[in-house]
Amino acid sequence: MLKIFHIIPFICLCIFPVAGAEVSSEVAAAGFIEKLVNDALGIVNHSGMSEDEKRKGLSECVNKDLDIDRITQAVFAPLGYKDLSDEDKEKVKEFMKKYLVDFYAGEGKLSAMVNAKLSGKLVAAPKEKDFSVKTNFKKDSSSVEIVWITDGQRVYYVEIAGFNQITTLRSEMKSAVGTGTLMEYINKRSAK
């Protein structure tokens, strides 16, 4: 019977650091999203910056904080992305970086974000090998929930007011490419 009491501390030492690491990772994921959002809102709300300067600042956020590899693969998978050469995949990723800036901060979208603020506590939870972080934004009397999927260092997926952004992007790209090939579309868009 006394042997069981010797094992209990060992079990606690094995279990609690793992549980503590998971909670710590959730806190880190929520902290990462909070910093990303506050940095982006700081750019959008900066009264001394022009619209072009704001887009440039947001573009730097996209390049630094979004997992372009995973997003590009998810969006372009139905269009034959995995069969492209490494060189063509790089072209598609570069296109995606620019496209995401327009998608999230295009005409009229920057002004829609001015004076928006994070509201309430960010809620993080494990989601497969990543974390789901729920945020709530308020502007005037309206609010919108945004869910971010992150590994704590980069964002892979965003859901805004229940709309899956990967699905939206995939649909837009499928429609834009039409009956042509992905690379025909990318090369034509890159030439502009």
Side-chain angles (χ1 to χ4, degrees), residues 110-168:
L110 282 178
S111 60
M113 293 188 287
V114 171
N115 296 324
K117 293 182 172 97
L118 272 175
S119 170
K121 185 178 179 188
L122 279 68
V123 179
K127 180 169 177 85
E128 296 172 17
K129 62 181 180 172
D130 296 315
F131 296 93
S132 168
V133 181
K134 288 185 183 179
T135 58
N136 197 342
F137 287 84
K138 286 204 183 262
K139 181 175 179 177
D140 302 323
S141 62
S142 61
S143 69
V144 65
E145 181 180 86
I146 300 180
V147 177
W148 311 76
I149 305 300
T150 180
D151 62 3
Q153 297 175 358
R154 293 186 168 255
V155 172
Y156 159 65
Y157 165 89
V158 179
E159 183 180 288
I160 301 173
F163 290 97
N164 177 327
Q165 299 301 291
I166 294 291
T167 302
T168 302

Side-chain angles (χ1 to χ4, degrees), residues 41-114:
L41 288 174
I43 292 167
V44 168
N45 290 309
H46 195 287
S47 59
M49 293 174 80
S50 70
E51 293 282 312
D52 286 339
E53 290 171 322
K54 290 178 182 183
R55 275 194 196 82
K56 185 177 185 241
L58 289 172
S59 177
E60 290 169 7
C61 283
V62 165
N63 293 328
K64 179 176 63 92
D65 294 329
L66 293 183
D67 190 336
I68 297 297
D69 290 336
R70 283 177 71 186
I71 293 169
T72 302
Q73 288 174 33
V75 168
F76 291 107
L79 295 169
Y81 178 80
K82 71 177 182 162
D83 298 326
L84 297 176
S85 69
D86 289 344
E87 182 181 333
D88 285 345
K89 285 179 181 176
E90 285 305 313
K91 286 181 185 177
V92 176
K93 284 186 228 178
E94 285 305 310
F95 167 81
M96 189 56 140
K97 286 179 189 178
K98 293 174 187 166
Y99 191 82
L100 285 171
V101 172
D102 287 338
F103 184 76
Y104 288 112
E107 194 69 34
K109 293 179 182 175
L110 282 178
S111 60
M113 293 188 287
V114 171

Side-chain angles (χ1 to χ4, degrees), residues 14-32:
C14 292
I15 292 173
F16 291 125
V18 171
E22 186 173 303
V23 170
S24 176
S25 295
E26 289 172 20
V27 170
F32 166 71

